Amino acid sequence: MDDLTTSQRTVLDEWFGTVDVLEDHSWPLQDTTVLRIRAAGREFIVKASRTSHHIDREIAAHRSFLVTSAAPVPKLVYSNEAEKLLVTEYLPGELVEGSPAEEDPSIYRQAGRVLAELLSPGDVSDTYMGRLRDRGLSLSDRAARLVDAGPLAAVRNRLEAVVPRPVPLFFTHGDYQPRNWLVHAGTVAVIDFGRAEQRPWTSDLVRLQFQQFVGRPDLEEAFHDGLGRDLDALDIEILELERIYQAVSTVVWANGIGDAGFEEHGRQMIDRLVDRSRPG
């Protein structure tokens, strides 16, 4: 609770009165305090920040697309955008990441079904592809001293070849992977909507393709079986663009916060894009 501002604690007191902090799940690298609390005999998750825009995104997601969603996600209890503070119900369960469930195709089939429920159609954008291409090119300039010249030139060439056209957007999670999946009594739920935004639906495949699906076609097949969506030519083109953008941005972002391990993961993402003979 000491990491909350005085005004955030005041708002929390107005909502609950006395609270007991049960666990601290904070994300110090993103200036986000995450607490599991008990108040009035129930358990909740409190998220608070001084600067992070992820809180704003999560509040917006809960107030819009998630209000009517039947997907198994935490329900919003309270929010205060000005204070960058929100409270959701607590969902019991174990994170899939790092548990035996991360190797279980049935979990991926369920996660695919949940994603299908979350993907609410949104706008059609005439500018999304062009903006993502331009942002990728800008980031590749910043990555010049961080990535070998050959692979970086290869992804730049692919970005420069992109011809923007209108694309349909959907409500997307933005970080869809096992670290944001909970399993409780064999059932999968999804948490953390701090990156939620309208994007092409294929953007929620990228993390998995670079991580859990590498060398595990059984997990990928199970996930797509649950998802129940086929990729058309435009989906494949946009997915490639998303993969490039996320690979380059991973290197630049991780370098900026001093996370050498994640920076190297970004370089490996770029290598996989360039060397099609490698898994993923």
Side-chain angles (χ1 to χ4, degrees):
M1 294 292 285
D2 291 341
D3 292 332
L4 273 62
T5 66
T6 300
S7 56
Q8 287 171 342
R9 291 198 299 271
T10 297
V11 172
L12 202 61
D13 288 343
E14 291 172 353
W15 288 341
F16 289 114
T18 302
V19 303
D20 294 319
V21 177
L22 304 179
E23 286 186 277
D24 187 342
H25 300 289
S26 298
W27 312 328
L29 289 177
Q30 294 187 12
D31 177 35
T32 303
T33 299
V34 183
L35 305 173
R36 179 163 71 97
I37 67 166
R38 179 181 291 117
R42 296 174 58 195
E43 293 186 13
F44 305 91
I45 293 292
V46 175
K47 293 187 180 182
S49 177
R50 292 175 171 84
T51 63
S52 177
H53 64 281
H54 294 289
I55 295 288
D56 303 329
R57 284 184 178 181
E58 187 151 13
I59 290 173
H62 278 289
R63 289 178 175 175
S64 56
F65 292 98
L66 296 178
V67 169
T68 58
S69 176
V73 302
K75 301 305 180 186
L76 183 67
V77 180
Y78 295 114
S79 64
N80 186 317
E81 193 170 5
E83 293 294 341
K84 292 185 177 293
L85 181 68
L86 78 149
V87 177
T88 65
E89 64 180 14
Y90 167 72
L91 293 184
E94 180 182 10
L95 282 179
V96 171
E97 183 180 61
S99 76
E102 193 173 4
E103 308 293 325
D104 185 347
S106 70
I107 295 297
Y108 288 79
R109 187 171 291 106
Q110 282 194 60
R113 292 192 192 108
V114 175
L115 181 58
E117 293 183 52
L118 288 171
L119 290 173
S120 302
D123 304 325
V124 173
S125 174
D126 295 327
T127 62
Y128 184 91
M129 284 186 72
R131 285 187 286 111
L132 197 62
R133 175 201 60 191
D134 294 345
R135 288 162 63 191
L137 287 168
S138 177
L139 283 168
S140 69
D141 290 338
R142 294 168 59 188
R145 64 182 178 83
L146 306 174
V147 178
D148 290 344
L152 190 61
V155 296
R156 277 193 65 91
N157 289 339
R158 293 186 193 176
L159 288 169
E160 289 168 350
V162 170
V163 178
R165 47 188 168 141
V167 295
L169 305 182
F170 293 76
F171 171 77
T172 59
H173 181 278
D175 194 15
Y176 204 74
Q177 57 174 311
R179 74 177 181 187
N180 290 317
W181 304 346
L182 290 177
V183 61
H184 178 66
T187 299
V188 172
V190 176
I191 60 172
D192 187 12
F193 287 83
R195 283 186 45 82
E197 193 174 277
Q198 285 199 55
R199 305 179 183 90
W201 70 270
T202 52
S203 66
D204 271 340
L205 304 179
V206 174
R207 299 282 205 272
L208 293 165
Q209 287 193 344
F210 277 125
Q211 296 171 172
Q212 285 76 22
F213 292 168
V214 176
R216 291 297 303 267
D218 58 326
L219 300 182
E220 185 169 14
E221 181 180 353
F223 184 86
H224 281 280
D225 179 57
L227 181 60
R229 298 181 70 102
D230 295 323
L231 279 73
D232 61 23
L234 179 59
D235 292 331
I236 293 170
E237 181 181 356
I238 295 169
L239 178 57
E240 177 74 356
L241 178 58
E242 296 277 4
R243 281 162 59 92
I244 293 171
Y245 173 75
Q246 291 196 31
V248 178
S249 65
T250 294
V251 173
V252 173
W253 182 82
N255 177 262
I257 64 169
D259 189 334
F262 199 46
E263 183 180 338
E264 178 59 27
H265 174 63
R267 282 190 282 268
Q268 293 171 3
M269 292 164 73
I270 292 174
D271 287 344
R272 288 195 179 97
L273 288 168
V274 174
D275 185 357
R276 293 294 185 167
S277 67
R278 294 176 62 175

